[in-house]
Amino acid sequence: MKKNISRRLFLKGGAAAACTLAASSISSAASKADMHEQIATLIDISKCIGCEACVEACCEVNSEKYPKPQKPFPKMYPKRVPVADWSDKQDVTNRLTPYNWLFIQSATVEKDGEEIELTIPRRCMHCVNPPCVKLCPWGAAKQLENGISRIDSDICLGGSKCKAVCPWKIPERQTGVGIYLDILPSLAGNGVMYKCDRCYDRIAAGKVPACIEACPENVQTIGTKNEIIKQAHKLARETNGYIYGEKENGGTNTIYVSPVPFKELNKAIEKGKGKPHFKPVKNVMAAASNLGTAMLIAPVAGAIAAAGKFYSMVKAEKGDASNET
Amino acid sequence: MKHNKFHIGYELITGYIYRITIFMLTLSGFAQMPIFKRYYIADMPGLGWLSKFYVTLYLHYLFGIIFLVFTACIITDFFLTLRKKYKITASGYIRVAILAGLTASGIILVIKNFAGYYYAPVFIVVMNLIHLGLVFIFLITGFTCIILKKNWMRDWTTL
Ligand code: HEM
Ligand code: SF4
Ligand code: SF4
Ligand code: SF4
């Protein structure tokens, strides 16, 4: 297993990448013992030629996980509940859909006075502390110990909260599939949410994600988070590049390195439904973490307040008593 | 005399804090599920915030903090002073137990939300269901107690 992943990485990432990634980091992607370290990918935008080999590979490898909705869909109440049906548009590849977890975004930008065309693979960022997972009110979205976040299509109800709280609005809904059909299909739930699961099953089997394996240009490198960040900084230093994903939303496991600033990239790409931005993103879970810490101290404050009240009462009583005598 | 007045005021205030806190916890808690928008409740003037997941999450946390400060205060107070004068009733014990379960499951959900905390997915699902289940049990018990005029505590002297 280990051999497989490291050999591939060696072949793909070129000697330099393979050396910096060395055995330790790659094996940890595959071995269970080291699962505590999150796996990350580096995406070198300057290398991508926009061939969409990765998009095809993703579709091929993951098509078994795609929704197979039952039609007609049960009527949903109230009327405003939107039906999201991609089953007749499964070949759409210019945005994220339940049937397309990776797409190529393009941008025409200026670099050193010259106009250049950049193509950028886009998918779930695999946040270090993923709000889609943490705020799922059921626990259908989960994060594996290697940092991969994925949505369990067996129990997802399709309420789309994961999408609402995702800074990039990544998960996409398909109506007419999932467990909601067995509960109260007209009153609660609306299908299942889908997104890149970082080929968790392949990784567990010691293979690299399909999109990484298929890319003829070695655009993506996979390894442990620390190694990938080091490598991204090195690449950015050497190419005067810019980094996205390291700090965004408190840190993600997808580190982009671009030859132009992300502010410019963000202006140049087509954004909108199923087409994520490249804006700065603050850590959306930070406030909850701070409030959570305060919550763990809260009982102590309460106990001290009551004890304080007790002692002032005892004191007052003593005072009363001494006044009386 | 002085003490009695103090205690009546104290009970009134704790009663209000407690009811408001539980009400806000329930409201912000239900808002954790994507239901208020679907069912037009967030469309009502002044209630738009109910469909803003981060707002309601922070509110649930905030009232969780108030609830914990308040509860720790009452429990300490009970052992230091109230115990001498009051006895917890049977319905009081039931409500305390439900709230303890709600708090325990709630705190586990809070810990889950810190970065780097992984639990078995099934465990999270079970915790969510326990938390939600206890909410319903608590609401039913609470309303029953209000209707039947059952108090949490009883004065020893009236026994
Ligand atoms: C100090 C006590 C409590 C804490 C720390 C707490 C914490 C939490 C947390 C963290 C969540 C899930 C949010 C998420 O991560 O997605 C939640 C959900 C919820 N809470 Fe609480 N909570 C507490 C007490 C209560 C009480 C007293 C009620 C109502 C009587 C309540 C009602 C709810 C409801 C309805 C949900 C949504 C259903 C669910 O996700 O299970 N909570 N609570
Ligand atoms: S990018 Fe969105 S969907 Fe992906 S892990 Fe982060 S919050 Fe979840
Ligand atoms: S990691 Fe797997 S699921 Fe994610 S985009 Fe690549 S091929 Fe698709
Ligand atoms: S396969 Fe590689 S070069 Fe082709 S579009 Fe995907 S990332 Fe770019």
Side-chain angles (χ1 to χ4, degrees):
Chain A
M1 279 207 274
K2 273 182 206 169
K3 249 188 221 146
N4 192 358
I5 200 167
S6 46
R7 184 184 56 86
R8 279 192 210 291
L9 275 169
F10 195 89
L11 292 176
K12 306 217 134 293
C19 286
T20 44
L21 274 173
S24 68
S25 59
I26 300 152
S27 59
S28 72
S31 84
K32 270 248 179 301
D34 274 356
M35 277 291 189
H36 282 286
E37 221 190 319
Q38 298 199 341
I39 300 172
T41 50
L42 164 63
I43 300 183
D44 182 352
I45 295 176
S46 67
K47 279 191 188 165
C48 176
I49 54 169
C51 65
E52 291 195 342
C54 53
V55 179
E56 271 166 44
C58 177
C59 182
E60 211 176 285
V61 162
N62 292 307
S63 61
E64 255 171 55
K65 303 172 189 163
Y66 289 166
K68 295 164 196 76
Q70 295 170 16
K71 289 189 193 181
F73 301 142
K75 258 211 155 58
M76 291 186 288
Y77 298 98
K79 274 220 180 71
R80 70 147 55 157
V81 182
V83 170
D85 184 15
W86 288 93
S87 58
D88 300 328
K89 295 172 276 182
Q90 296 191 23
D91 41 10
V92 169
T93 56
N94 65 351
R95 56 163 285 174
L96 299 174
T97 80
Y99 299 87
N100 196 55
W101 303 347
L102 166 67
F103 80 108
I104 302 299
Q105 221 165 22
S106 53
T108 312
V109 286
E110 216 170 273
K111 166 93 179 157
D112 306 327
E114 238 179 274
E115 222 171 55
I116 54 167
E117 172 93 9
L118 292 175
T119 49
I120 317 151
R122 296 304 302 272
R123 52 153 168 82
C124 165
M125 302 286 288
H126 292 280
C127 302
V128 170
N129 195 23
C132 59
V133 170
K134 297 301 176 91
L135 302 185
C136 170
W138 301 109
K142 47 194 168 190
Q143 187 181 31
L144 313 182
E145 286 192 16
N146 56 15
I148 293 176
S149 68
R150 71 180 197 91
I151 299 167
D152 188 337
S153 51
D154 288 340
I155 54 173
C156 173
L157 293 167
S160 200
K161 183 183 177 185
C162 50
K163 182 181 184 127
V165 296
C166 168
W168 292 275
K169 306 278 174 278
I170 298 285
E172 290 286 338
R173 169 157 60 196
Q174 172 64 46
T175 301
V177 272
I179 198 173
Y180 89 108
L181 294 170
D182 303 326
I183 309 173
L184 289 168
S186 49
L187 294 178
N190 186 355
V192 171
M193 307 300 294
Y194 293 89
K195 71 171 192 72
C196 158
D197 61 13
R198 187 72 131 252
C199 290
Y200 74 97
D201 39 355
R202 288 173 64 92
I203 293 212
K207 294 193 236 167
V208 289
C211 56
I212 299 184
E213 189 179 73
C215 177
E217 304 294 323
N218 306 317
V219 167
Q220 295 193 62
T221 318
I222 189 165
T224 57
K225 187 175 171 65
N226 282 340
E227 286 295 337
I228 288 296
I229 290 204
K230 258 189 230 150
Q231 225 186 313
H233 280 273
K234 187 161 170 275
L235 180 64
R237 252 195 329 271
E238 286 168 2
T239 59
N240 282 328
Y242 301 83
I243 292 180
Y244 188 85
E246 184 189 359
K247 300 270 159 63
E248 280 65 25
N249 193 22
T252 79
N253 286 319
T254 303
I255 317 292
Y256 286 95
V257 176
S258 158
V260 299
F262 282 92
K263 207 172 162 188
E264 283 171 36
L265 262 192
N266 187 53
K267 265 190 239 147
I269 54 173
E270 203 183 304
K271 296 172 293 283
K273 285 185 177 162
K275 298 176 178 175
H277 60 77
F278 267 126
K279 282 193 281 205
V281 173
K282 65 174 185 0
N283 185 351
V284 295
M285 292 301 286
S289 292
N290 295 338
L291 284 169
T293 312
M295 196 181 292
L296 301 182
I297 312 168
V300 182
I304 292 174
K309 185 191 130 232
F310 175 68
Y311 285 112
S312 63
M313 246 168 67
V314 171
K315 239 187 180 168
E317 247 163 44
K318 268 194 189 150
D320 283 356
S322 53
N323 280 350
E324 273 161 33
T325 49
Chain B
M1 273 285 123
K2 209 168 95 198
H3 263 142
N4 266 345
K5 234 192 219 157
F6 174 79
H7 257 119
I8 291 166
Y10 179 69
E11 269 159 33
L12 218 65
I13 291 169
T14 47
Y16 276 123
I17 297 179
Y18 169 75
R19 285 191 198 100
I20 292 169
T21 310
I22 293 285
F23 174 75
M24 288 306 290
L25 272 172
T26 314
L27 191 64
S28 59
F30 276 107
Q32 301 305 306
M33 298 176 284
I35 50 174
F36 285 143
K37 194 168 175 200
R38 174 165 182 165
Y39 288 107
Y40 296 91
I41 293 160
D43 290 352
M44 288 194 261
L47 293 184
W49 56 274
L50 277 175
S51 67
K52 299 198 172 78
F53 292 118
Y54 285 108
V55 172
T56 55
L57 180 71
Y58 301 154
L59 277 177
H60 201 65
Y61 271 59
L62 197 65
F63 280 93
I65 293 172
I66 295 172
F67 177 79
L68 283 176
V69 171
F70 175 76
T71 309
C73 187
I74 296 277
I75 291 174
T76 314
D77 202 12
F78 181 78
F79 282 108
L80 289 176
T81 55
L82 299 177
R83 185 169 57 155
K84 294 177 194 125
K85 199 161 177 285
Y86 299 100
K87 176 186 188 299
I88 299 178
T89 60
S91 79
Y93 273 116
I94 294 173
R95 282 178 281 183
V96 167
I98 302 171
L99 279 179
L102 262 173
T103 308
S105 53
I107 287 183
I108 288 171
L109 293 174
V110 167
I111 293 173
K112 166 210 78 177
N113 285 351
F114 289 126
Y117 281 79
Y118 311 94
Y119 289 108
V122 182
F123 178 73
I124 303 287
V125 173
V126 169
M127 273 307 133
N128 274 314
L129 289 176
I130 288 179
H131 198 67
L132 186 61
L134 286 176
V135 170
F136 283 112
I137 294 173
F138 182 76
L139 293 181
I140 293 166
T141 317
F143 281 120
T144 313
C145 289
I146 291 173
I147 292 164
L148 300 179
K149 294 206 165 63
K150 296 269 185 213
N151 284 328
W152 288 76
M153 290 191 238
R154 196 163 26 176
D155 210 321
W156 278 113
T157 50
T158 66
L159 284 179

